[in-house]
Amino acid sequence: MRENYGELTLNIDPDSIYTGALGGATFAWRAVVDDGKVAESRPN
């Protein structure tokens, strides 16, 4: 990666809401609740 993009800093702070599965779920929840987006429906 360094060869293509140079030095990068990744946000891996455990207090960040964008870290891990919980962060991803929180991000998606905000998109649906705050932005009025529609959640995907999948058949069972």
Side-chain angles (χ1 to χ4, degrees):
M1 265 182 41
R2 188 175 296 137
E3 181 178 303
N4 293 320
Y5 301 102
E7 287 295 320
L8 297 175
T9 302
L10 299 178
N11 179 7
I12 57 170
D13 188 316
D15 292 329
S16 172
I17 65 163
Y18 301 106
T19 300
L22 181 58
T26 302
F27 186 81
W29 174 259
R30 286 183 178 176
V32 172
V33 174
D34 295 343
D35 298 339
K37 296 188 176 162
V38 177
E40 179 181 332
S41 176
R42 294 184 180 182
N44 292 332

